[in-house]
């Protein structure tokens, strides 16, 4: 039994992408989220903890790639003109944002 645990401990870190999938958000992305969250909700230690909890929860639900896609769609929806129209009307874009919104709602329930 102990040998099996040792083998797993050696194999898992060498498995490409496995540990990365658990925490694929770069520190600066997490920090940016926390700063924006605190700017909205208050500059207190309690909000630091709650906002940190929220981005951790979002990261547990969405990959960083999905998070970036949703943030990009949301930013592009704020732009006026023809270029932004595809981000406002396409069902695929709406679903990308909906996944982020669900993750944010879950984070709000768990952290706030």
């Amino acid at each position: 039994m102990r040998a099996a645990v040792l083998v797993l401990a050696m194999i898992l870190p060498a498995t490409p992408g496995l540990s990365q999938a658990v925490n694929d958000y770069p520190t600066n992305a997490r920090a940016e989220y926390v700063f924006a969250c605190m700017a909205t909700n208050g500059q207190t230690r309690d909000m630091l903890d709650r906002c940190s909890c929220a981005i951790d929860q979002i990261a547990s639900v969405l990959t960083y790639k999905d998070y970036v896609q949703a943030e990009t769609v949301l930013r592009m929806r704020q732009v006026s003109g023809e270029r932004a129209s595809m981000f406002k009307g396409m069902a695929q874009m709406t679903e990308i944002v909906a996944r982020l919104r669900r993750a944010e709602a879950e984070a709000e329930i768990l952290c706030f």
Side-chain angles (χ1 to χ4, degrees):
M1 178 68 164
R2 185 174 172 196
V5 171
L6 289 174
V7 169
L8 279 175
M10 291 171 48
I11 292 173
L12 288 179
T15 305
L18 187 60
S19 61
Q20 184 66 16
V22 174
N23 184 10
D24 67 344
Y25 282 52
T27 302
N28 63 342
R30 288 177 185 265
E32 183 179 314
Y33 180 92
V34 171
F35 289 144
C37 176
M38 289 178 69
T40 303
N41 296 299
Q43 303 286 333
T44 66
R45 173 65 189 185
D46 181 51
M47 277 304 127
L48 173 65
D49 293 340
R50 291 175 187 269
C51 294
S52 297
C53 171
I55 190 60
D56 290 344
Q57 183 59 39
I58 291 167
S60 75
V61 176
L62 291 177
T63 65
Y64 182 63
K65 178 182 173 187
D66 290 342
Y67 176 79
V68 169
Q69 286 177 344
E71 287 292 322
T72 301
V73 171
L74 288 171
R75 285 190 176 107
M76 289 304 296
R77 284 182 173 181
Q78 295 175 352
V79 175
S80 60
E82 191 175 317
R83 288 184 178 176
S85 64
M86 70 177 259
F87 293 95
K88 295 176 183 177
M90 290 180 64
Q92 180 183 9
M93 301 299 167
T94 302
E95 179 54 32
I96 289 170
V97 171
R99 286 194 314 255
L100 174 61
R101 295 293 188 222
R102 285 190 295 272
E104 289 175 330
E106 185 176 329
E108 187 166 334
I109 290 168
L110 295 172
C111 302
F112 289 89

